[in-house]
Amino acid sequence: MKLILIVEDEPSIARVLSAYLKKAGFEVIHASDGLQALEFFREREPALVLLDVMLPGLDGWEVLQLIREHHSCPVIMLTARDGITDRLHGLDSGADDYMTKPFMPEEVVARVHAVLRRRPFLQDRSSKRHFGNLVIDDAAKCVYLNGAEVGLSPRDLSLLLFLSEYPNRTFTRDHLIEQVWGIDYEGSDRAVDLSVKRLRQSLSHWSSDAGEIRTLRGMGYQFWINE
């Protein structure tokens, strides 16, 4: 069974989510604050984290940042704040999804299934692809820049692997949403822009002579390489 870490300081919400996730076939552990969440995360290595924003001690944003420094584990943020600024902040910080309270537990379970289905677009092969000082290992699902591994969220990694599979080909936001996020994705196509922004930041030391992720105004995005 896949392990889900619930980070929630309201016991009633945690109990309901735990019950529904267990009924759906998941194993569940619960942390009530940020420090305990990080401890459980290191010890148990969950398949996904449901992370409340308002927590005692370390808040959810700080926990997300610390997770993202070393891990690409999927994270769904849970919060009572439903402003667009907060949603964009969550996605821009590396969250894989963002849900506002109150929510139906059935929807949370559905979102968990949807995020876990989003796996990197891969071919069944073990070869590495070199783009100057950037190396993409499809089989190992790893990206290296100047010999060091680049930490990417599952969604950003999926996008990079898909784009790099088709160098110098342009894809619209809608096409990328369908291929990378999945046809069941109900969010804004703004998520593509934020993912590309994060990729550019992570690959900021990629030699511009070798390639770049280009924006073609009115058309979409392209993994350009100097052939």
Side-chain angles (χ1 to χ4, degrees):
M1 292 189 294
K2 291 183 178 179
L3 176 66
I4 307 297
L5 170 58
I6 299 174
V7 187
E8 172 61 66
D9 64 335
E10 296 187 38
S12 59
I13 295 178
R15 282 196 298 270
V16 171
L17 290 177
S18 295
Y20 274 81
L21 287 166
K22 289 177 181 178
K23 184 178 179 181
F26 294 102
E27 181 183 358
V28 178
I29 53 174
H30 170 229
S32 57
D33 60 60
L35 289 176
Q36 187 179 47
L38 292 173
E39 179 183 352
F40 286 174
F41 186 88
R42 288 191 293 266
E43 292 176 353
R44 300 295 301 277
E45 298 184 356
L48 182 144
V49 179
L50 288 172
L51 179 58
D52 187 27
V53 171
M54 302 301 294
L55 295 169
L58 294 176
D59 65 24
W61 301 127
E62 293 172 300
V63 174
L64 176 63
Q65 180 181 1
L66 291 170
I67 289 176
R68 282 290 172 262
E69 286 180 357
H70 303 287
H71 299 275
S72 59
C73 174
V75 176
I76 299 177
M77 304 300 292
L78 306 174
T79 179
R81 303 177 64 177
D82 61 355
I84 186 62
T85 301
D86 296 294
R87 288 176 178 271
L88 293 179
H89 177 58
L91 295 172
D92 200 27
S93 298
D96 293 86
D97 207 343
Y98 186 102
M99 298 191 66
T100 56
K101 301 175 182 178
F103 43 68
M104 297 296 291
E106 295 92 342
E107 182 184 1
V108 177
V109 174
R111 295 283 189 96
V112 168
H113 280 299
V115 169
L116 290 175
R117 282 197 300 268
R118 296 170 195 156
R119 289 305 176 193
F121 182 91
L122 296 175
Q123 297 283 338
D124 185 17
R125 63 171 181 268
S126 59
S127 61
K128 297 179 180 179
R129 292 180 288 133
H130 296 256
F131 307 99
N133 59 335
L134 175 68
V135 178
I136 298 178
D137 188 334
D138 296 272
K141 298 183 291 187
C142 294
V143 178
Y144 300 91
L145 189 60
N146 294 321
E149 185 173 356
V150 180
L152 299 172
S153 71
R155 177 178 292 169
D156 294 349
L157 178 60
S158 296
L159 179 59
L160 179 61
L161 289 173
F162 179 80
L163 286 172
S164 64
E165 188 72 21
Y166 304 96
N168 299 331
R169 178 174 169 182
T170 304
F171 293 95
T172 65
R173 290 185 182 88
D174 288 343
H175 195 137
L176 292 173
I177 287 289
E178 180 179 343
Q179 294 296 322
V180 179
W181 276 255
I183 58 175
D184 58 347
Y185 176 72
E186 298 179 351
S188 168
D189 61 5
R190 169 73 169 153
V192 178
D193 302 334
L194 294 172
S195 186
V196 169
K197 178 182 177 182
R198 292 192 297 269
L199 283 174
R200 285 172 173 159
Q201 292 173 341
S202 298
L203 304 179
S204 59
H205 296 294
W206 183 21
S207 173
S208 58
D209 294 333
E212 62 180 334
I213 300 177
R214 287 184 170 177
T215 300
L216 281 74
R217 190 175 300 276
M219 298 177 64
Y221 292 106
Q222 177 188 101
F223 185 86
W224 176 84
I225 59 171
N226 187 10
E227 294 180 319

